[in-house]
Amino acid sequence: MRSAKLWSWLALAAGMLYFFLPLIGMFEFSLRARRGEYSFDAYASVLGDPAFRATFGYSVLMALFTIAFGILLVVPTVFWVRLKLPRWRPVIEFITLLPLVIPPIVIVFGYIRLYNTSSWLPLTGTAMGTNLLLMFGYTMLALPYMYRAVDTGLRTIDVQTLTEAAQSLGAGWVTILARLILPNVLVAVLSGAFLTFAIVIGEFVLAALLNRPAFGPYMVWMGSNKAYEPAALAVIAFVVTWACMALIQLVTRLSKHTRAQR
C-alpha cells in the first residue's frame, strides 16, 4: 500500500517537473534582456508596444462576441434536446465533437472557398464579414467545451418539471430560458465562457489565414523577429489562460458555498 502511494507521489512529482521546468526556464530567459542582470525590460517592451495592445484588445473583443454567440446558440439547443429530443442527444453530442477531429486549417479553407469575393455570400470582401467568419470559427472550436459545460449544468436540475411549472404560470419560451434555465446553469455557462476566452486568446490558424489582427498571429510574428519578447509574451499568455482557469474554480466554489447556505 505504501509502495503504491510512494509511486503515486513520484509520478506526480515527475509530471510537475515535466510541466513546470520549461515554464521556469522560459520565465528566466525572458528576464535576460538586460546584459548581466535580470530585468523586466522584455515585459516593458511588449506592454509598451501599440501592436500588442491593439491585437490583444481585438482578441478580447472577439472572445466576448464569441462567448455571447456561443451562449445564444448552445443554451437553447441543449435545453431543447433535453426537453423534447432526448433520442437525438447522441447525434448532437457527436456533432459537437467534430471540431476536435477536424483541423482548424480545414475549417478556414472551407470558409475561404465558400465565402470568397466571387461567391454568393462574399463575407471575406469586408472586414466586418471576415470578423463574422472568425467569430463563427471560434464558436466552432469552443463548441465541444461550451456544449458539455452547459449539458452538465442542465443535468443538475429537473428541466421537465421546471418548464411545466413555468408554462402553467403563463411563461413563454423566452422567459423560461432567460429567467429560469439560464440562472440555474449560470456557473456552467461561465465555465464554458472562460474556456472559450482562453481558446480565442491563443488561437492562431483561423486569424492568420483570414488575415485578422489577432493576438495569436502577433505572438508568432514576435517570435520570428525578437529574442526575449516572445518568451515574455508566452508568460503573459500563460498567466491569462491560468487566470481563466482560476476564475472557473472560483465560480464553482462560490456556487457550492451559495448552495450550501440555501
Side-chain angles (χ1 to χ4, degrees), residues 118-161:
S118 60
S119 68
W120 62 279
L121 188 59
L123 289 177
T124 58
T126 62
M128 181 61 72
T130 313
N131 288 337
L132 276 176
L133 279 183
L134 187 60
M135 185 188 71
F136 293 151
Y138 285 156
T139 304
M140 188 177 296
L141 293 181
L143 187 60
Y145 312 102
M146 178 65 85
Y147 182 89
R148 268 144 195 80
V150 176
D151 188 51
T152 303
L154 280 178
R155 287 182 186 178
T156 62
I157 61 176
D158 190 343
V159 175
Q160 188 78 34
T161 302

Side-chain angles (χ1 to χ4, degrees), residues 62-167:
M62 289 302 300
L64 294 178
F65 279 114
T66 303
I67 290 168
F69 182 70
I71 292 173
L72 291 176
L73 176 68
V74 171
V75 174
T77 302
V78 179
F79 168 71
W80 196 255
V81 168
R82 294 192 69 85
L83 186 66
K84 298 289 185 180
L85 304 170
R87 292 182 179 179
W88 283 85
R89 190 177 169 195
V91 178
I92 302 298
E93 288 187 347
F94 174 76
I95 294 174
T96 60
L97 286 175
L98 288 179
L100 295 178
V101 296
I102 300 177
I105 194 168
V106 175
I107 297 172
V108 72
F109 272 114
Y111 282 167
I112 294 172
R113 179 70 180 85
L114 283 175
Y115 304 114
N116 59 47
T117 53
S118 60
S119 68
W120 62 279
L121 188 59
L123 289 177
T124 58
T126 62
M128 181 61 72
T130 313
N131 288 337
L132 276 176
L133 279 183
L134 187 60
M135 185 188 71
F136 293 151
Y138 285 156
T139 304
M140 188 177 296
L141 293 181
L143 187 60
Y145 312 102
M146 178 65 85
Y147 182 89
R148 268 144 195 80
V150 176
D151 188 51
T152 303
L154 280 178
R155 287 182 186 178
T156 62
I157 61 176
D158 190 343
V159 175
Q160 188 78 34
T161 302
L162 286 174
T163 304
E164 290 177 356
Q167 286 179 325

Side-chain angles (χ1 to χ4, degrees), residues 2-256:
R2 289 183 177 179
S3 177
K5 193 173 182 179
L6 176 63
W7 281 110
S8 300
W9 280 108
L10 286 176
L12 178 63
M16 293 183 69
L17 285 175
Y18 179 81
F19 182 75
F20 283 107
L21 272 183
L23 293 175
I24 294 172
M26 182 175 60
F27 178 68
E28 192 270 343
F29 180 75
S30 69
L31 301 177
R32 289 175 173 263
R34 189 177 301 177
R35 186 181 297 273
E37 60 178 309
Y38 288 130
S39 70
F40 288 95
D41 288 357
Y43 294 89
S45 174
V46 167
L47 297 176
D49 187 359
F52 166 77
R53 294 194 293 269
T55 55
F56 191 75
Y58 176 84
S59 289
V60 169
L61 189 62
M62 289 302 300
L64 294 178
F65 279 114
T66 303
I67 290 168
F69 182 70
I71 292 173
L72 291 176
L73 176 68
V74 171
V75 174
T77 302
V78 179
F79 168 71
W80 196 255
V81 168
R82 294 192 69 85
L83 186 66
K84 298 289 185 180
L85 304 170
R87 292 182 179 179
W88 283 85
R89 190 177 169 195
V91 178
I92 302 298
E93 288 187 347
F94 174 76
I95 294 174
T96 60
L97 286 175
L98 288 179
L100 295 178
V101 296
I102 300 177
I105 194 168
V106 175
I107 297 172
V108 72
F109 272 114
Y111 282 167
I112 294 172
R113 179 70 180 85
L114 283 175
Y115 304 114
N116 59 47
T117 53
S118 60
S119 68
W120 62 279
L121 188 59
L123 289 177
T124 58
T126 62
M128 181 61 72
T130 313
N131 288 337
L132 276 176
L133 279 183
L134 187 60
M135 185 188 71
F136 293 151
Y138 285 156
T139 304
M140 188 177 296
L141 293 181
L143 187 60
Y145 312 102
M146 178 65 85
Y147 182 89
R148 268 144 195 80
V150 176
D151 188 51
T152 303
L154 280 178
R155 287 182 186 178
T156 62
I157 61 176
D158 190 343
V159 175
Q160 188 78 34
T161 302
L162 286 174
T163 304
E164 290 177 356
Q167 286 179 325
S168 67
L169 294 174
W173 290 113
V174 176
T175 304
I176 292 173
L177 278 170
R179 302 185 63 179
L180 185 64
I181 299 300
L182 190 59
N184 277 287
V185 296
L186 187 58
V187 175
V189 171
L190 287 176
S191 299
F194 291 133
L195 287 172
T196 302
F197 184 86
I199 291 171
V200 172
I201 288 297
E203 203 282 330
F204 167 73
V205 176
L206 294 179
L209 293 180
L210 289 175
N211 196 27
R212 301 312 300 153
F215 186 58
Y218 172 75
M219 288 181 65
V220 175
W221 175 86
M222 184 69 81
S224 60
N225 291 278
K226 302 283 186 178
Y228 301 99
E229 284 81 355
L233 262 181
V235 172
I236 292 172
F238 175 78
V239 170
V240 171
T241 303
W242 275 78
C244 292
M245 299 300 293
L247 285 174
I248 294 174
Q249 293 296 324
L250 179 63
V251 168
T252 304
R253 287 178 181 274
L254 288 177
S255 171
K256 290 179 179 178

